[in-house]
Amino acid sequence: MKVEVWTDIMCPYCYIGKIHYEQALQQFAHASEVELVIKAFRLNPNLPDKGNGYSVVDYLLKTAGLSENNLKQMFAYIEQLAENAGVKFNLPNAIAANTLDAHRLVKLAAKKNLDSKVLSLISKAYFEDAQDYSDINLLTGIGIKAGLDEAEIDQMFAGDDFKAEVERDIQEAHQLGIDTVPTFLFERKQAIIGAEPVQVFLDALKTTNITLGDMEVRKGKSCNADGTCEI
């Protein structure tokens, strides 16, 4: 079974959604037969890169236009999701930054089947550790920790490797009508949008008899293409 997920590092629901998917996979009898394909999505390509990110709170209030009350509601909801998923919640201190280089590192890691591991480490750096995921030194350290070769990482960041692949993922998302993340497609027969509960992911893994023309969509809270996240 092929599972594709369109995701962006700065989307908090993407981190939780991936954790829920992985927890469901642990309960799935045929987990070894499932291939996860990670696809890039960029919620805000205009954010600064190379370690020049700024406060997520400032971004959501000033750029995304959330009110302080809405921001508190969103944080409270995501904090509860994080607690239930067993991860630390540190979004109020997190950094909003350009995700292109992070996506490029995930693409490089995919050559060695380490993309899921690298994505999880980058997402943790953002969501739990409040680090700037656009910082090349941080990304290089994450890549090395995951098992990538430092020289290969340096070579990638020195050029334009995988920028085209990232853009292709985004164009494919547009062609499929995907404008929110995370979006999981199961054999392109079922779609789960957002950080839905573990059981929802497990049910999708177990169900394979829906025709391609009748895709079943289950939608939870997610982040939109304009860079804002649902409350």
Side-chain angles (χ1 to χ4, degrees):
M1 179 191 300
K2 177 189 282 188
V3 178
E4 300 161 283
V5 57
W6 275 262
T7 183
D8 196 15
I9 287 86
M10 70 177 293
C11 164
Y13 296 119
C14 290
Y15 185 40
I16 301 296
K18 185 171 183 290
I19 291 171
H20 286 177
Y21 164 79
E22 290 168 347
Q23 290 174 344
L25 194 65
Q26 290 173 0
Q27 302 175 44
F28 184 49
H30 304 285
S32 62
E33 301 171 20
V34 179
E35 175 192 8
L36 178 65
V37 180
I38 296 170
K39 302 290 185 77
F41 198 92
R42 299 176 68 195
L43 291 170
N44 189 337
N46 298 317
L47 282 166
D49 61 1
K50 304 299 185 290
N52 295 306
Y54 59 96
S55 164
V56 159
V57 171
D58 286 346
Y59 170 75
L60 293 173
L61 291 177
K62 298 175 182 179
T63 304
L66 287 185
S67 68
E68 290 188 9
N69 186 54
N70 285 343
L71 183 62
K72 288 178 181 177
Q73 291 179 37
M74 186 180 81
F75 278 173
Y77 179 79
I78 298 173
E79 183 174 17
Q80 186 61 58
L81 284 179
E83 182 179 337
N84 293 341
V87 297
K88 177 183 175 184
F89 172 79
N90 199 16
L91 274 184
N93 297 310
I95 302 297
N98 197 300
T99 58
L100 176 59
D101 285 331
H103 283 306
R104 293 172 65 203
L105 184 65
V106 173
K107 291 294 183 187
L108 174 65
K111 294 172 59 179
K112 297 184 178 180
N113 294 320
L114 293 171
D115 47 340
S116 181
K117 184 176 182 178
V118 166
L119 177 60
S120 292
L121 288 172
I122 298 173
S123 298
K124 180 182 182 297
Y126 161 62
F127 189 95
E128 299 188 49
D129 302 330
Q131 295 178 293
D132 188 336
Y133 48 77
S134 72
D135 185 274
I136 298 301
N137 291 329
L138 173 68
L139 292 173
T140 299
I142 285 174
I144 293 170
K145 181 178 180 179
L148 298 178
D149 179 72
E150 183 174 4
E152 193 172 9
I153 297 171
D154 291 343
Q155 180 180 353
M156 179 193 70
F157 283 136
D160 294 328
D161 294 355
F162 300 108
K163 287 184 179 180
E165 287 84 347
V166 169
E167 185 57 34
R168 278 200 293 270
D169 285 352
I170 296 168
Q171 290 302 318
E172 185 180 16
H174 293 331
Q175 291 166 5
L176 291 170
I178 294 170
D179 59 3
T180 58
V181 289
T183 293
F184 292 81
L185 298 186
F186 294 74
E187 289 287 352
R188 301 205 176 182
K189 297 178 181 180
Q190 297 183 81
I192 294 178
I193 301 172
E196 286 290 79
V198 174
Q199 188 60 48
V200 173
F201 283 97
L202 185 57
D203 290 344
L205 288 166
K206 291 179 177 178
T207 305
T208 58
N209 59 356
I210 299 174
T211 64
L212 286 172
D214 298 311
M215 183 180 290
E216 179 180 336
V217 179
R218 307 178 191 186
K219 188 178 187 305
K221 294 186 185 299
S222 56
C223 293
N224 302 315
D226 60 4
T228 61
C229 297
E230 293 178 320
I231 300 169

